[in-house]
C-alpha cells in the first residue's frame, strides 16, 4: 500500500524570514504565539523574527525545554489562551516545533495530550488544530514538515502524537538562521537528518517519491555535514544541510526503523536525539545489511563510497570526525538498563517498518554493540 501525501507550504531561501508577515496573513493569523527557547533568544533570532511584524507584538513563550514536555505545553497554552492567540509560530529546533504542535492541538481539542498518543489510537481523535507556522533554527529534525510531535508527559512517559493534522501549515526555512549554530549542534542535528534519509529509504513501506527524496537527503547530508561542522559560516554548507533536514522531514512519511525505535526510550532519559541516532546507525545497519543488500549498495553509491567500503564503518568514522560520541558508554548510560530499553524499543511503532524484523533480543544485541 502506498499512501503519498505532501501538504506543506514551504519558503526556502536565505532571508526567507522576512516573509513571515505575509505567510501569517495567508493563514489568517492575527495574534500569534511565538514559541521559542532561551538559546534562540540569546543569539538575537527572536528580535529578528519580531522586527518584521508590524502592529501588536506577538506573545512570546521562550521556556521550551531541550526535550519538550507536557508541562511546558500547558504553560504555553495558558499564555495562548490568556492573550486570545489564533495561531502558533515555532522558532527553534525540533523541541520548539513539537511543542507548538502540541499547543495547537490542545488549544482546539478537549482533554490532555495522553488522549492523543498514537499508541492509544489517539490519531483518529485529532481534527483540525490551530495553525502552526514553523521556522527551524537547526538543520536536522525535519519537524517543520513532519506529522509527529513527541513529548514527555508529567508521568515521565514519552508520548508520540501522529497525524497529518499536526503538519505545520507553513514552514519558513532560512539557512541564514543556522549560521550561528555551534559545531556540536550542527553535528548532532545533522546526523539526525542523515539518519532520517537512511532509515526512511531502508524502511519496508512502499513510497517511491519519498524514497527518491530520502536518497537526495542522504547525498546532501552525507557530503556536507563535515564541512558544515568545521565551517559554520559557510553559506553553501548551511543551505545544503537545511535542505537535507527538510528532505528528511518530507521523507518521514515512508516511515523509519530500528534506529529511531531504539533511540526513543533512550531519548526519554534525556540524551540528544541526533547524537543517539549517530551512535545507533552503525549497529542497526550491520543488523539490517543482509536484508537489504541492494538498498545498502544504492546508499553507498549516492554517498560516493567504493563498493568495497562498509557503510556502517563509514558512518562510525564520520561520527567520530565531527566530534560526536560513537558509544552509548560515552554518554554515561547505565548498561543495566539495556534489557529494559531493548524491550521498549521492540514495542515502538517505528520498529514495525524496520527492513529486518527486530525482537527485544535483537535490540539488546544492537544496544550492547552500541554501548561497547
Ligand atoms: Zn530523528
Amino acid at each position: 500500500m502506498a499512501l503519498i501525501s505532501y501538504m506543506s507550504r514551504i519558503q526556502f531561501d536565505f532571508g526567507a524570514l522576512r516573509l513571515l508577515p505575509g505567510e501569517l496573513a495567508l493563514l489568517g493569523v492575527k495574534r500569534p504565539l511565538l514559541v521559542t527557547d532561551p538559546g534562540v533568544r540569546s543569539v538575537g533570532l527572536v528580535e529578528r523574527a519580531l522586527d518584521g511584524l508590524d502592529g501588536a507584538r506577538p506573545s512570546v513563550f521562550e521556556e521550551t525545554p531541550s526535550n519538550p514536555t507536557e508541562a511546558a505545553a500547558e504553560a504555553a497554552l495558558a499564555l495562548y489562551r490568556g492573550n486570545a492567540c489564533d495561531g502558533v509560530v515555532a522558532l527553534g529546533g525540533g523541541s520548539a516545533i513539537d511543542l507548538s504542535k502540541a499547543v495547537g492541538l490542545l488549544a482546539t481539542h478537549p482533554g490532555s495530550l495522553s488522549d492523543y498518543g498514537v499508541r492509544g489510537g489517539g490519531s483518529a481523535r485529532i481534527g483540525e488544530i490551530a495553525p502552526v507556522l514553523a521556522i527551524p533554527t537547526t538543520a536536522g529534525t525535519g519537524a517543520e514538515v513532519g506529522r509527529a510531535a513527541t513529548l514527555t508527559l508529567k508521568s515521565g512517559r514519552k508520548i508520540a502524537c501522529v497525524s497529518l493534522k499536526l503538519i505545520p501549515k507553513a514552514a519558513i526555512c532560512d539557512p541564514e538562521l543556522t549560521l550561528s549554530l555551534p559545531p556540536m549542534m550542527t553535528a548532532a542535528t545533522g546526523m539526525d537528518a542523515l539518519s532520517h534519509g537512511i532509515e526512511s529509504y531502508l524502511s519496508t513501506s512502499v513510497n517511491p517519491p519519498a524514497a527518491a527524496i530520502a536518497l537526495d537527503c542522504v547525498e546532501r547530508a552525507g557530503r556536507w555535514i563535515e564541512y558544515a561542522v568545521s565551517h559554520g559560516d559557510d553559506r553553501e554548507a548551511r543551505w545544503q544541510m537545511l535542505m537535507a533536514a527538510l528532505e528528511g522531514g518530507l521523507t518521514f512519511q515512508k516511515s523509519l526503523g530500528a534506529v529511531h525505535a531504539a533511540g526513543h526510550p533512550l531519548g526519554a532519559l534525556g540524551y540528544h536525539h541526533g547524537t543517539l541516532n549517530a551512535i545507533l546507525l552503525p549497529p542497526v545497519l550491520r543488523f539490517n545489511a543482509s536484508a537489504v543488500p541492494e538498498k545498502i549498495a544504492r546508499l553507498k553509491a549516492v554517498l560516493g563510497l567504493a563498493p568495497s567500503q562498509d557503510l556502517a564503518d563509514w558512518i562510525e568514522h564520520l561520527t567520530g570526525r565531527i566530534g560526536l560520541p560513537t558509544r552509548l558508554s560515552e554518554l554515561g548510560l547505565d548498561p543495566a538498563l539495556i534489557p529494559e530499553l531493548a524491550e521498549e524499543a521492540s514495542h515502538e511503532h517505528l520498529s514495525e517498518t524496520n527492513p529486518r524484523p527486530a525482537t527485544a533480543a535483537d535490540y539488546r544485541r544492537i544496544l550492547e554493540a552500541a554501548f561497547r
Side-chain angles (χ1 to χ4, degrees):
M1 177 84 128
L3 172 65
I4 298 166
S5 178
Y6 292 101
M7 45 212 317
S8 304
R9 179 179 163 86
I10 303 160
Q11 296 280 8
F12 193 108
D13 199 4
F14 283 99
L17 183 62
R18 71 173 186 281
L19 303 173
L20 177 59
E23 291 297 325
L24 284 175
L26 275 177
L27 294 173
V29 174
K30 294 189 174 70
R31 292 177 306 282
L33 172 72
L34 184 83
V35 172
T36 187
D37 65 57
V40 171
R41 160 77 83 184
S42 71
V43 292
L45 295 182
V46 172
E47 284 312 309
R48 269 167 66 186
L50 296 179
D51 276 351
L53 296 172
D54 26 270
R57 302 279 277 180
S59 316
V60 179
F61 179 83
E62 60 175 52
E63 280 82 48
T64 303
S66 51
N67 282 306
T69 61
E70 180 179 27
E74 289 180 355
L77 178 68
L79 194 59
Y80 183 96
R81 290 201 166 130
N83 294 327
C85 296
D86 57 358
V88 188
V89 174
L91 178 70
S95 298
I97 298 172
D98 278 12
L99 193 67
S100 297
K101 293 174 183 175
V103 173
L105 171 67
L106 293 172
T108 47
H109 289 65
S112 66
L113 273 184
S114 52
D115 299 322
Y116 302 100
V118 64
R119 272 206 247 172
S123 299
R125 292 190 279 275
I126 301 180
E128 283 305 322
I129 71 164
V132 175
L133 185 154
I135 309 173
T137 59
T138 65
T141 68
E144 63 273 19
V145 289
R147 63 189 62 187
T150 306
L151 288 94
T152 305
L153 296 176
K154 285 180 234 167
S155 63
R157 199 164 58 84
K158 270 223 169 189
I159 189 168
C161 303
V162 183
S163 164
L164 293 175
K165 306 284 188 194
L166 293 178
I167 296 175
K169 291 276 184 296
I172 293 179
C173 299
D174 185 343
E176 192 102 37
L177 309 184
T178 65
L179 286 168
S180 51
L181 201 62
M184 282 299 277
M185 280 299 284
T186 304
T189 55
M191 286 305 284
D192 190 24
L194 180 62
S195 76
H196 294 156
I198 292 175
E199 280 228 286
S200 168
Y201 181 66
L202 295 179
S203 83
T204 53
S205 83
V206 177
N207 188 329
I213 293 173
L215 286 174
D216 201 65
C217 163
V218 170
E219 180 168 4
R220 286 180 207 280
R223 290 175 186 246
W224 283 94
I225 187 168
E226 205 172 348
Y227 198 76
V229 170
S230 60
H231 296 77
D233 56 352
D234 188 274
R235 294 168 73 84
E236 170 76 4
R238 293 300 193 179
W239 192 98
Q240 295 287 351
M241 289 308 295
L242 194 61
M243 183 54 83
L246 173 70
E247 290 178 326
L250 288 173
T251 187
F252 267 170
Q253 61 174 294
K254 195 179 169 306
S255 194
L256 295 166
V259 172
H260 278 74
H264 279 168
L266 280 161
L269 301 176
Y271 302 121
H272 189 274
H273 175 74
T275 304
L276 289 171
N277 292 347
I279 295 172
L280 292 166
L281 262 172
V284 169
L285 282 170
R286 288 177 191 122
F287 174 77
N288 285 340
S290 62
V292 276
E294 289 96 5
K295 284 184 165 180
I296 298 275
R298 188 86 192 270
L299 287 171
K300 282 169 33 176
V302 299
L303 285 165
L305 272 66
S308 59
Q309 279 178 284
D310 181 76
L311 179 61
D313 288 350
W314 182 83
I315 287 173
E316 198 171 321
H317 292 141
L318 172 69
T319 301
R321 283 201 309 276
I322 59 177
L324 294 177
T326 59
R327 295 287 183 274
L328 293 175
S329 51
E330 293 173 64
L331 303 180
L333 176 76
D334 177 0
L337 295 175
I338 287 179
E340 193 185 322
L341 291 165
E343 186 66 38
E344 285 180 53
S346 69
H347 298 301
E348 284 283 331
H349 73 282
L350 294 173
S351 187
E352 292 162 20
T353 47
N354 193 61
R356 180 178 163 194
T359 63
D362 293 323
Y363 279 109
R364 208 159 127 176
R365 281 187 285 274
I366 288 168
L367 290 171
E368 280 163 0
F371 185 85
R372 282 195 288 272

